[in-house]
Amino acid sequence: DVVNAGRKMADAADDLNDARKATDATLDAIKRKAKELPTGNNSVYVSYHADGRLEYVGITNDFNRRKKEWEGIRNIEEFVPGLDRRNARFVEQAVIDKFGMSKLGGPLSNRINSIGVRNKTVYAEYLDFIRDI
């Protein structure tokens, strides 16, 4: 019936809104932690599906160029600007770890990790970065 269909649609919208709030809270925590990192000329960016679900995270040293490259494919937003490359990788990996890649059941279409566990020194430093997030 129409009333039940309307109720289901409202519930789905509420669920999506709650998911977006949780996503935003996690991204805000990562962004706050990133403020402690050394600066540079790289930006971490994110994109969302049309319904607001997180879709992708990436790094670039020229956000405007990257935005043009993705035009028509993804609508990217600058997430954390002004990081050196190494620490931009920390931020990118934090987003990947917190949300997960689609091949592992998460929402992100990223195909590779920014920081691999085999690089023990860098990975240990990354774990220090993500510890309080």
Side-chain angles (χ1 to χ4, degrees):
D1 91 23
V2 175
V3 173
N4 284 335
R7 201 171 283 138
K8 286 181 182 180
M9 287 176 57
D11 289 346
D14 286 345
D15 290 348
L16 191 57
N17 191 36
D18 290 346
R20 180 63 191 248
K21 285 180 182 177
T23 296
D24 288 346
T26 301
L27 291 175
D28 286 347
I30 294 169
K31 192 181 284 190
R32 278 192 306 276
K33 186 73 173 185
K35 288 180 181 180
E36 302 170 9
L37 298 173
T39 60
N41 66 342
N42 292 277
S43 292
V44 178
Y45 61 90
V46 294
S47 69
Y48 297 90
H49 291 282
D51 65 6
R53 291 177 297 124
L54 189 63
E55 172 187 36
Y56 186 80
V57 59
I59 299 172
T60 183
N61 63 2
D62 186 340
F63 180 75
N64 291 326
R65 175 184 48 85
R66 185 58 50 91
K67 189 167 180 74
K68 288 177 187 172
E69 291 170 352
W70 280 116
E71 197 170 315
I73 301 167
R74 287 194 167 99
N75 184 21
I76 67 171
E77 299 174 9
E78 196 166 36
F79 174 53
V80 179
L83 295 172
D84 67 13
R85 187 69 174 191
R86 182 179 206 202
N87 290 292
R89 290 177 59 213
F90 284 7
V91 172
E92 181 184 38
Q93 188 64 47
V95 173
I96 291 169
D97 284 349
K98 292 296 182 179
F99 296 97
M101 290 186 239
S102 59
K103 67 182 180 182
L104 301 172
L108 299 174
S109 61
N110 293 66
R111 294 184 182 159
I112 61 170
N113 286 300
S114 193
I115 299 172
V117 295
R118 291 184 187 149
N119 189 340
K120 294 187 185 322
T121 302
V122 174
Y123 193 74
E125 292 172 12
Y126 163 70
L127 289 177
D128 285 341
F129 168 73
I130 198 172
R131 181 173 303 134
D132 300 328
I133 299 174

